[in-house]
Amino acid sequence: MTSAAAADDTTITALALKPGQLSPAMADYFAKCQEKLGFVPNVLAAYAFDNAKLEAFVAMYNDLMLAPSGLSKLEREMIAVTVSSQNRCYYCLVAHGAAVRALSDDPPLGELMVMNYRAAKLNKRQRAMLDFAVKLTVEPWAIEESDREMLRRAGFTARDIWDIAAVAGFFNMSNRVASATDMRPNSVYHGQAR
Amino acid sequence: MTSAAAADDTTITALALKPGQLSPAMADYFAKCQEKLGFVPNVLAAYAFDNAKLEAFVAMYNDLMLAPSGLSKLEREMIAVTVSSQNRCYYCLVAHGAAVRALSDDPPLGELMVMNYRAAKLNKRQRAMLDFAVKLTVEPWAIEESDREMLRRAGFTARDIWDIAAVAGFFNMSNRVASATDMRPNSVYHGQAR
Amino acid sequence: MTSAAAADDTTITALALKPGQLSPAMADYFAKCQEKLGFVPNVLAAYAFDNAKLEAFVAMYNDLMLAPSGLSKLEREMIAVTVSSQNRCYYCLVAHGAAVRALSDDPPLGELMVMNYRAAKLNKRQRAMLDFAVKLTVEPWAIEESDREMLRRAGFTARDIWDIAAVAGFFNMSNRVASATDMRPNSVYHGQAR
Amino acid sequence: MTSAAAADDTTITALALKPGQLSPAMADYFAKCQEKLGFVPNVLAAYAFDNAKLEAFVAMYNDLMLAPSGLSKLEREMIAVTVSSQNRCYYCLVAHGAAVRALSDDPPLGELMVMNYRAAKLNKRQRAMLDFAVKLTVEPWAIEESDREMLRRAGFTARDIWDIAAVAGFFNMSNRVASATDMRPNSVYHGQAR
Amino acid sequence: MTSAAAADDTTITALALKPGQLSPAMADYFAKCQEKLGFVPNVLAAYAFDNAKLEAFVAMYNDLMLAPSGLSKLEREMIAVTVSSQNRCYYCLVAHGAAVRALSDDPPLGELMVMNYRAAKLNKRQRAMLDFAVKLTVEPWAIEESDREMLRRAGFTARDIWDIAAVAGFFNMSNRVASATDMRPNSVYHGQAR
Amino acid sequence: MTSAAAADDTTITALALKPGQLSPAMADYFAKCQEKLGFVPNVLAAYAFDNAKLEAFVAMYNDLMLAPSGLSKLEREMIAVTVSSQNRCYYCLVAHGAAVRALSDDPPLGELMVMNYRAAKLNKRQRAMLDFAVKLTVEPWAIEESDREMLRRAGFTARDIWDIAAVAGFFNMSNRVASATDMRPNSVYHGQAR
């Protein structure tokens, strides 16, 4: 049994969609996850019912979270968790909370992003970044030039602002796909980097 | 001047990112837009500063909105506009409001999706679809099995539920990218299909 | 059949109240609407079940929207649409959205007031006026001297502040009468001034 | 000094608009208030800067609150106070709270309408009426046929539903005019009908 | 019949818990209430089903509201009523609204705290105190150092800030116990200090 | 140095109140904490500036969370964390999240209570209990007999309903005291029961 096969299982989503045929590129990607992480993240198994959707998700995710950016990988994960906290997304809080703990080597920082980022002792740059991401999540209609200006004053370039918006936007999407389908996180995340 | 060049222009976004080099596939895609629509949608010009991001966006968008699905193209556009109305996204309301008017051949339907979908005279299926999309937008943390069950009772399959969630999720992302960057719609949309 | 007769029709409201006897003044007013506009606005037909209520509504409406004021007629319509957008009132957004398009000779301005006034490029005066109207609509309990002072700094007199409050207040009333009764706009508005 | 003169006084509103010339009808009306109530309600003094606005306000107010209706005068005042409680309007809560105490001969009922109508022991009819008025106040966009049907099941006619909507709408207007102008209630109300 | 016995009565709470055996200290306390106030406040009768819970409540209440503090007793009651207004707690608004009227010798001040504290003409110190208490009630997650700094600038010490927080916190507790159990205030409060 | 002394330290609260003289009973209690837990919980150190306040807090806390009740200790901790999640209280989520993990021997259950209790697979009794606690936290004014009836149908007695309300109320208090003072949890909690 491959991990993708597990998508036919309500332990991944409440929709229990049958896994489809993976392209060689995606089969390789799943194999690499298994090898490097020891498991295939359930979000990938959840998309595996349709290879085209899986490929589009993976391409966008990897570009946003791993490609070169003025934001560090930790900063992108901090946005992911803070946005997911506003939307109370169980899947994303578990999976990306573990990433913040691991990348920061500071387990309480992961908890702070999950619970209330305002209680964290952040530098001005990271606080501005998260304030923007949270306002964009909670009242996107109210974002204006003064909000972008606040980011520029904290040292962010136009391209950085795009990246903050794109990561915050992405988790506003994936939080909703996860909540709509009752996606369950791999249990291994709970104990990581505590 | 190509349309992508126009991205270096605050008439597209407040970030005025310089357009990058398009891959042949993306250059073709822009040319096809120009030929079929008479213009390149500004959202594409906005992403043109980075070909990898553009390709990921186009791949996901086209899969969601155009690939085979149990939801008609009009239904997917109805979700797009209803979600964008909750988030008060000017770009998406203008561009996708025009799409609903055109695909439905019913201009007031486009206005209803923009203004208040509850005022539309919808059949039970479409009302359930939009109620789910709106709840998922406004309080994603509160979606539960009873909400999915409501969709099943209205005739939607597990795969249809995924598609409703994915389209609603996608516009929760793109509404935020558009609002964060003050993305401006092509003015041609305003007069279409009135 | 007169327009008032049409009030006995669920195409005007869900209450389908039987039109009453109009006073000569009101009958003249309906005739003048028919002559000038080519139709009687449905809101008038909706009130026609009771001549006293119709007269009170018309007197207040005409004073607020047409009598001399430090606010232009366009500005009063901009308040009308912005307030109606907060309350998502289909009737008022359709009817007064058309008025903003026509009075401004700028169709996208009408759309901006419907969709998100913050996305419009407004001068300081008009932005202050709409910010006040929206705050008064959404959290009237929080209006304080500092809000009035903001209007004064933008050039508004005490009498102008009254007029902004009175127009915003009026649409907070009529939005609710329209929503409570499912009042439907005349379809002719949709195509006007596009 | 007449009561209208007092409008040039920040004890009535923060705008301190100079009272204008009253028409004979309005002068009589003020005199009658003075005679019957012992004072002119400040809301009237506030509108006295412009006789046309005053007349329109008085005509609409008297029709709504005093003309024959399927709703008793007490019920209309209960709607007034419950709506004003949602909007936290000091002027209207003081003035109409006194009216509920007086008309009901039940002082705690006035307090309940001010504080939380859900804590009152109401019959089904009055509870339905206030639930509708509160929903119409707080989320007017969500009122649908099922809400009207709830009123019909509680015994209200189409005309009664209009009257509930019109009274609730009216106080959503006057709450906002009062809050926008910091209108102060006559102090005599505080001790009435305790 | 003692007052405690009355707890077995839905005129006190909807739970109608049977009063338990009072300790001598609590029996004395009830007797002193009866003697000084002429009645036992219903909140005490409500807790009388369990002497340990009653004693803990009385100890905390008396320390917070009556022990020496940088806040006057009136100021503590003003916080009590303002917090209870946000939570729309009928019991606490009636009982502590009477206390504000009595301690201030200014009946309209009690009404202002019940209806909308922002409409009261408060000095800078009391306004800062109530703004903090209301923010702490409505969005406790958003309280930060700048909020405490605002209190310090208004003259409050660290210990005063604790006391503001503790009183506001306490009424956020007791408002909820009262609402959860439908606790009814003694009717005598209504007429006090009008 | 005793633990209480540590209260004079911004690592406990932003107020840095100097610890006061503990009564023998409280000194014993702190010693017992140190012996049994290996540390004094920071909330106790925070209250140690005033022995009377500390004693009142400890008496109420121990009665609510440890005394006999129809609710198990785990259930009371589940309410604590679910309420604290609504209020996004960092201190209480860390300290009581650890308690849920430990008492349940189910670490993901603690995470679920922190992140979104609706995603947990709860039995009907516990779901009803938490739904009531959350509604009481978020909109206490809307709790009515139907909410209590829902608890009774899930098997709760009148006394149990009191206990649910009292625990939910208590954490609505302590969440606010913690947020108002920026109370920091002992770091040892983070690694417990993972």
Side-chain angles (χ1 to χ4, degrees):
Chain A
M1 190 207 80
T2 71
S3 290
D8 184 21
D9 184 335
T10 57
T11 62
I12 293 188
T13 76
L15 301 184
L17 291 163
K18 230 177 107 154
Q21 184 68 38
L22 298 187
S23 65
M26 287 297 105
D28 276 6
Y29 187 64
F30 275 46
K32 206 182 304 177
C33 286
Q34 191 71 51
E35 185 193 318
K36 282 202 174 173
L37 306 175
F39 63 97
V40 174
N42 278 352
V43 67
L44 300 180
Y47 272 91
F49 74 91
D50 182 310
N51 192 70
K53 293 182 194 306
L54 175 63
E55 287 198 330
F57 178 84
V58 167
M60 188 176 279
Y61 179 87
N62 286 347
D63 174 71
L64 280 173
M65 300 304 280
L66 304 175
S69 163
L71 309 179
S72 71
K73 286 178 192 173
L74 172 59
E75 286 171 338
R76 288 177 265 179
E77 292 287 354
M78 288 167 72
I79 295 172
V81 181
T82 304
V83 165
S84 302
S85 172
Q86 297 303 315
N87 292 329
R88 302 188 184 279
C89 175
Y90 180 59
Y91 183 94
C92 300
L93 286 169
V94 169
H96 294 276
V100 170
R101 295 194 304 270
L103 288 170
S104 67
D105 208 22
D106 178 6
L109 184 67
E111 297 296 89
L112 281 157
M113 298 298 101
V114 167
M115 292 168 177
N116 187 354
Y117 79 101
R118 293 181 193 86
K121 309 298 188 197
L122 300 171
N123 60 32
K124 190 189 158 186
R125 168 188 165 89
Q126 293 182 344
R127 180 60 194 259
M129 177 185 83
L130 296 182
D131 280 346
F132 187 91
V134 166
K135 184 172 180 182
L136 187 60
T137 296
V138 174
E139 39 172 7
W141 51 81
I143 291 281
E144 297 201 55
E145 187 58 20
S146 56
D147 299 294
R148 287 181 288 272
E149 195 51 36
M150 182 265 288
L151 287 179
R152 290 187 196 105
R153 278 197 311 273
F156 292 104
T157 66
R159 168 61 201 270
D160 294 340
I161 296 174
W162 179 279
D163 288 358
I164 295 170
V167 173
F170 182 83
F171 282 91
N172 271 289
M173 173 178 70
S174 60
N175 289 171
R176 285 175 174 83
V177 173
S179 294
T181 63
D182 194 24
M183 196 180 287
R184 315 303 298 184
N186 307 64
S187 60
V188 65
Y189 289 121
H190 287 293
Q192 290 181 336
R194 291 294 181 186
Chain B
M1 190 208 79
T2 70
S3 290
D8 184 22
D9 185 334
T10 56
T11 60
I12 292 187
T13 77
L15 301 184
L17 292 163
K18 231 176 105 156
Q21 185 67 39
L22 298 186
S23 65
M26 286 298 105
D28 276 5
Y29 187 63
F30 274 47
K32 206 182 305 178
C33 287
Q34 191 71 51
E35 184 194 317
K36 282 202 176 173
L37 307 174
F39 62 97
V40 174
N42 278 351
V43 66
L44 300 180
Y47 272 91
F49 74 92
D50 183 309
N51 192 70
K53 292 183 194 307
L54 175 63
E55 286 197 330
F57 178 84
V58 167
M60 189 177 280
Y61 179 87
N62 286 347
D63 174 71
L64 280 173
M65 300 303 281
L66 305 176
S69 164
L71 310 179
S72 72
K73 287 177 192 174
L74 172 59
E75 287 172 336
R76 287 177 265 179
E77 292 288 351
M78 289 167 71
I79 294 172
V81 181
T82 303
V83 166
S84 302
S85 172
Q86 297 303 312
N87 292 328
R88 301 187 185 281
C89 176
Y90 180 58
Y91 183 93
C92 302
L93 287 169
V94 169
H96 294 276
V100 170
R101 294 194 303 272
L103 288 169
S104 66
D105 207 23
D106 178 5
L109 184 67
E111 297 296 271
L112 281 157
M113 299 296 102
V114 167
M115 293 168 177
N116 188 352
Y117 80 100
R118 291 181 194 85
K121 309 298 186 197
L122 301 171
N123 60 32
K124 191 189 157 187
R125 167 187 166 89
Q126 294 184 341
R127 180 59 193 259
M129 176 185 85
L130 296 182
D131 281 345
F132 187 91
V134 165
K135 184 172 180 182
L136 187 60
T137 296
V138 174
E139 40 173 7
W141 53 81
I143 291 281
E144 297 200 56
E145 188 57 18
S146 57
D147 299 293
R148 285 181 289 272
E149 195 50 36
M150 181 264 289
L151 288 179
R152 289 186 197 106
R153 278 196 310 271
F156 292 103
T157 66
R159 168 60 200 271
D160 295 338
I161 297 174
W162 179 280
D163 287 357
I164 294 170
V167 173
F170 182 83
F171 283 91
N172 271 288
M173 174 178 69
S174 60
N175 288 172
R176 286 175 174 84
V177 172
S179 294
T181 63
D182 194 23
M183 195 180 289
R184 315 303 297 185
N186 308 64
S187 60
V188 64
Y189 289 121
H190 288 294
Q192 289 180 338
R194 290 295 181 183
Chain C
M1 190 207 81
T2 71
S3 290
D8 184 21
D9 184 336
T10 57
T11 61
I12 293 187
T13 77
L15 302 183
L17 292 162
K18 230 176 107 153
Q21 184 68 40
L22 298 186
S23 65
M26 286 298 104
D28 276 5
Y29 186 63
F30 275 46
K32 206 182 305 178
C33 286
Q34 191 71 50
E35 184 193 317
K36 283 201 175 174
L37 306 174
F39 63 98
V40 174
N42 279 351
V43 66
L44 300 180
Y47 272 92
F49 74 92
D50 181 310
N51 191 70
K53 293 183 193 307
L54 175 64
E55 286 198 330
F57 178 84
V58 167
M60 189 177 279
Y61 179 88
N62 287 346
D63 174 71
L64 280 173
M65 300 304 280
L66 304 175
S69 163
L71 310 179
S72 71
K73 287 177 191 173
L74 172 59
E75 287 172 336
R76 288 177 265 179
E77 292 288 352
M78 289 168 70
I79 295 171
V81 181
T82 304
V83 165
S84 302
S85 172
Q86 296 303 314
N87 292 329
R88 301 188 186 279
C89 175
Y90 180 59
Y91 183 93
C92 300
L93 287 168
V94 169
H96 294 277
V100 171
R101 294 194 305 270
L103 288 169
S104 67
D105 207 22
D106 178 5
L109 184 66
E111 297 296 89
L112 281 157
M113 297 299 100
V114 167
M115 292 168 177
N116 187 352
Y117 80 100
R118 293 181 193 85
K121 309 299 187 195
L122 300 171
N123 61 32
K124 190 189 157 186
R125 168 188 166 87
Q126 293 182 343
R127 178 60 193 259
M129 177 185 85
L130 296 182
D131 280 347
F132 187 91
V134 166
K135 183 172 180 180
L136 188 60
T137 297
V138 175
E139 40 173 6
W141 52 81
I143 291 281
E144 296 200 56
E145 188 58 19
S146 56
D147 299 293
R148 285 181 289 272
E149 195 50 36
M150 181 265 288
L151 287 180
R152 290 185 197 106
R153 278 196 311 272
F156 292 103
T157 66
R159 168 60 201 271
D160 295 339
I161 297 174
W162 180 279
D163 287 358
I164 294 170
V167 174
F170 182 84
F171 284 91
N172 271 288
M173 173 177 71
S174 61
N175 289 171
R176 286 176 173 83
V177 173
S179 294
T181 62
D182 193 24
M183 197 180 289
R184 315 303 298 184
N186 308 63
S187 60
V188 65
Y189 289 122
H190 288 293
Q192 289 182 337
R194 290 293 181 186
Chain D
M1 192 208 77
T2 70
S3 290
D8 183 21
D9 185 335
T10 57
T11 60
I12 292 187
T13 77
L15 301 184
L17 291 163
K18 232 177 105 153
Q21 185 67 39
L22 298 187
S23 66
M26 287 297 106
D28 277 6
Y29 187 63
F30 275 47
K32 206 182 303 178
C33 287
Q34 192 71 52
E35 185 193 318
K36 283 202 175 172
L37 307 175
F39 63 97
V40 174
N42 279 350
V43 66
L44 299 180
Y47 272 92
F49 73 91
D50 183 309
N51 192 71
K53 293 182 193 309
L54 175 64
E55 287 197 330
F57 178 85
V58 168
M60 189 177 280
Y61 179 87
N62 286 347
D63 174 72
L64 280 172
M65 299 304 281
L66 305 175
S69 163
L71 310 179
S72 71
K73 288 178 192 173
L74 172 59
E75 286 171 336
R76 287 177 265 179
E77 292 288 353
M78 289 167 71
I79 294 172
V81 180
T82 304
V83 166
S84 302
S85 172
Q86 297 302 314
N87 292 328
R88 300 187 185 281
C89 175
Y90 180 58
Y91 183 93
C92 301
L93 287 169
V94 169
H96 294 277
V100 171
R101 295 194 302 270
L103 288 170
S104 67
D105 208 22
D106 178 5
L109 184 67
E111 297 297 88
L112 282 157
M113 298 297 102
V114 167
M115 293 169 176
N116 188 352
Y117 80 100
R118 291 181 194 86
K121 308 297 186 198
L122 300 171
N123 60 32
K124 190 190 158 187
R125 168 187 165 88
Q126 294 183 342
R127 179 59 194 258
M129 176 185 83
L130 296 182
D131 280 345
F132 187 91
V134 166
K135 184 172 181 182
L136 188 60
T137 297
V138 174
E139 40 173 6
W141 52 81
I143 291 280
E144 297 200 55
E145 187 58 19
S146 56
D147 299 294
R148 286 181 289 272
E149 195 51 36
M150 181 264 290
L151 288 179
R152 290 187 197 104
R153 278 197 310 272
F156 292 102
T157 66
R159 168 62 200 271
D160 295 338
I161 296 174
W162 179 280
D163 288 357
I164 295 169
V167 173
F170 182 85
F171 283 91
N172 271 288
M173 174 177 70
S174 61
N175 289 172
R176 286 175 173 84
V177 172
S179 293
T181 63
D182 194 24
M183 196 181 287
R184 315 303 298 184
N186 308 63
S187 59
V188 65
Y189 289 121
H190 288 293
Q192 290 181 338
R194 291 295 182 183
Chain E
M1 191 208 79
T2 71
S3 291
D8 184 20
D9 184 336
T10 58
T11 62
I12 293 188
T13 77
L15 302 183
L17 292 161
K18 231 177 107 154
Q21 184 69 36
L22 297 187
S23 65
M26 286 297 105
D28 275 6
Y29 187 63
F30 275 47
K32 206 183 304 178
C33 286
Q34 191 71 51
E35 183 193 319
K36 281 202 174 175
L37 306 175
F39 63 98
V40 175
N42 278 352
V43 66
L44 300 179
Y47 273 91
F49 74 91
D50 182 309
N51 192 69
K53 293 182 193 307
L54 175 64
E55 286 198 329
F57 178 85
V58 167
M60 188 176 281
Y61 179 87
N62 286 347
D63 173 72
L64 279 172
M65 300 305 280
L66 304 176
S69 163
L71 309 180
S72 71
K73 287 178 192 173
L74 172 59
E75 287 171 336
R76 288 177 265 179
E77 292 288 352
M78 289 168 71
I79 294 172
V81 181
T82 304
V83 165
S84 302
S85 172
Q86 297 302 314
N87 293 328
R88 302 188 185 281
C89 175
Y90 180 59
Y91 184 94
C92 300
L93 287 169
V94 169
H96 294 277
V100 171
R101 295 194 304 271
L103 288 170
S104 66
D105 207 21
D106 179 6
L109 184 67
E111 297 295 270
L112 281 157
M113 299 297 101
V114 167
M115 292 169 178
N116 187 353
Y117 80 101
R118 292 181 193 87
K121 309 298 186 195
L122 301 171
N123 60 32
K124 190 189 157 187
R125 167 186 166 90
Q126 293 182 343
R127 179 60 194 259
M129 177 185 84
L130 296 183
D131 280 345
F132 187 90
V134 167
K135 184 172 180 181
L136 187 61
T137 297
V138 175
E139 40 173 6
W141 51 83
I143 291 281
E144 297 201 56
E145 188 58 19
S146 56
D147 299 294
R148 286 181 289 272
E149 194 51 35
M150 182 265 289
L151 288 179
R152 290 185 196 106
R153 278 196 311 273
F156 292 102
T157 65
R159 168 60 200 271
D160 294 340
I161 296 174
W162 179 280
D163 287 359
I164 295 170
V167 174
F170 181 84
F171 283 91
N172 271 288
M173 173 177 71
S174 60
N175 289 172
R176 285 174 174 84
V177 172
S179 293
T181 62
D182 194 24
M183 197 180 288
R184 315 303 298 185
N186 308 63
S187 59
V188 65
Y189 289 121
H190 288 292
Q192 289 181 338
R194 290 294 181 184
Chain F
M1 192 208 78
T2 70
S3 290
D8 183 19
D9 185 333
T10 57
T11 60
I12 293 188
T13 77
L15 301 183
L17 291 163
K18 233 177 104 155
Q21 185 67 39
L22 297 187
S23 65
M26 286 297 106
D28 276 6
Y29 187 63
F30 275 47
K32 206 183 305 178
C33 287
Q34 191 71 51
E35 185 193 317
K36 282 202 174 172
L37 307 175
F39 63 97
V40 174
N42 278 351
V43 66
L44 300 180
Y47 272 91
F49 73 91
D50 183 307
N51 192 71
K53 293 183 193 307
L54 175 63
E55 287 198 329
F57 178 84
V58 167
M60 189 177 280
Y61 179 86
N62 287 347
D63 173 71
L64 280 173
M65 300 304 281
L66 306 175
S69 164
L71 310 180
S72 71
K73 286 178 193 174
L74 171 59
E75 286 171 336
R76 287 178 266 179
E77 292 288 351
M78 289 168 70
I79 294 172
V81 181
T82 303
V83 166
S84 302
S85 172
Q86 297 303 315
N87 292 329
R88 301 187 184 281
C89 176
Y90 181 59
Y91 183 93
C92 301
L93 287 169
V94 169
H96 294 277
V100 171
R101 294 194 303 272
L103 288 169
S104 66
D105 208 21
D106 178 5
L109 184 67
E111 297 296 90
L112 281 157
M113 298 296 102
V114 167
M115 292 169 177
N116 188 353
Y117 80 100
R118 291 181 193 87
K121 309 297 186 196
L122 301 171
N123 60 33
K124 191 189 159 187
R125 167 187 165 88
Q126 294 183 343
R127 179 61 194 258
M129 176 185 85
L130 296 182
D131 280 345
F132 187 90
V134 166
K135 183 173 181 181
L136 187 60
T137 297
V138 174
E139 40 172 6
W141 51 82
I143 291 281
E144 297 200 55
E145 187 58 19
S146 56
D147 299 293
R148 286 181 289 271
E149 194 50 36
M150 182 265 290
L151 288 178
R152 289 186 197 105
R153 279 196 309 272
F156 291 103
T157 66
R159 168 60 201 270
D160 295 338
I161 297 174
W162 179 280
D163 287 358
I164 294 170
V167 173
F170 182 85
F171 283 92
N172 271 289
M173 174 178 70
S174 61
N175 289 172
R176 286 174 174 84
V177 172
S179 294
T181 62
D182 194 25
M183 195 179 289
R184 315 302 297 184
N186 308 64
S187 59
V188 65
Y189 290 121
H190 288 293
Q192 290 180 338
R194 291 294 181 185

